[in-house]
Amino acid sequence: MSIVPVTPDPASGSRCRERGNIAGMETEPAAGGGRTGHPPAGPAADAEERYRRLMEDVPVGLYRSTPDGRIIEANPALCRMLGYPNPEAFHRSSAKAEYVDPDDRSRWKELIHRDGVVLDFETRLRRADGTVMWALDSARAVRDEAGDVVYYQGSMRDITQSKLVQEALLEAEEKYRMLVE
């Protein structure tokens, strides 16, 4: 399945869809360079619209990145989670740079290369403003015909509040233990 990039139309400055391949069906840009207010016709356009809505509307971060850390695609939820104003700004960053502990990225890569998938990997990430958050990352490696990893695709959830509650509970338990002893 190919990614259908959204690019600025140089003539009008509006965003338009390029020709692509979604769910194995060839697609063409809509007449007039994108959304016209009328629903696109045909199964390929329907598949493209479903894909676009999934990426834009799902309340968890979705991404694709290369093994060297280049961000290929990110949905608006992930951009908001990491404090970027838009996907284009996030694309200029590197997945490697987001990790607070670079060893986490190395461990993640070891797991995904060994198993092909990583489920519920807890890590600390740095937001665009420098603040730290906790994330739960699940991803899989997408390989080419030769078996080489082309990119990773995954989802990410912000678990910072849960981690803060967990830490507060551990502190309270420790204080209680000290009082009892």
Side-chain angles (χ1 to χ4, degrees):
M1 173 168 44
S2 297
I3 301 167
V4 177
V6 176
T7 57
D9 177 15
S12 68
S14 66
R15 293 164 41 116
C16 63
R17 295 231 174 244
E18 295 178 355
R19 183 177 189 280
N21 179 328
I22 296 290
M25 297 178 282
E26 288 296 317
T27 62
E28 296 290 337
R35 296 181 205 164
T36 62
H38 302 319
D46 290 344
E48 181 178 345
E49 178 64 14
R50 283 193 309 275
Y51 175 81
R52 183 191 64 76
R53 295 210 35 136
L54 174 67
M55 287 297 289
E56 290 180 3
D57 295 346
V58 71
V60 297
L62 299 176
Y63 66 89
R64 287 189 176 131
S65 67
T66 62
D68 67 353
R70 189 173 50 87
I71 308 298
I72 299 170
E73 188 172 18
N75 72 340
L78 184 60
C79 296
R80 282 189 304 274
M81 184 186 315
L82 292 171
Y84 289 91
N86 55 54
E88 292 77 21
F90 185 45
H91 291 177
R92 289 190 294 270
S93 72
S94 167
K96 292 187 289 190
E98 306 297 328
Y99 285 82
V100 171
D101 181 354
D103 289 341
D104 281 355
R105 171 78 175 171
S106 298
R107 284 187 307 112
W108 183 91
K109 280 185 75 171
E110 286 173 23
L111 289 169
I112 202 161
H113 281 266
R114 184 188 72 209
D115 302 334
V117 66
V118 173
L119 295 174
D120 298 335
F121 186 86
E122 286 188 10
T123 189
R124 291 177 304 141
L125 299 176
R126 193 170 321 284
R127 290 185 174 109
D129 65 3
T131 59
V132 174
M133 64 168 282
W134 279 94
L136 192 63
D137 188 4
S138 293
R140 76 175 189 92
V142 176
R143 300 178 186 274
D144 62 17
E145 295 80 24
D148 298 322
V149 174
V150 179
Y151 60 88
Y152 310 114
Q153 61 185 16
S155 66
M156 196 171 287
R157 285 188 359 212
D158 183 347
I159 59 167
T160 305
Q161 290 303 322
S162 298
K163 293 298 278 188
L164 293 174
V165 168
Q166 184 180 29
E167 288 173 14
L169 182 58
L170 290 173
E171 286 178 26
E173 287 175 353
E174 183 62 30
K175 286 180 185 176
Y176 176 75
R177 219 176 272 123
M178 290 173 56
L179 287 172
V180 171
E181 295 174 353

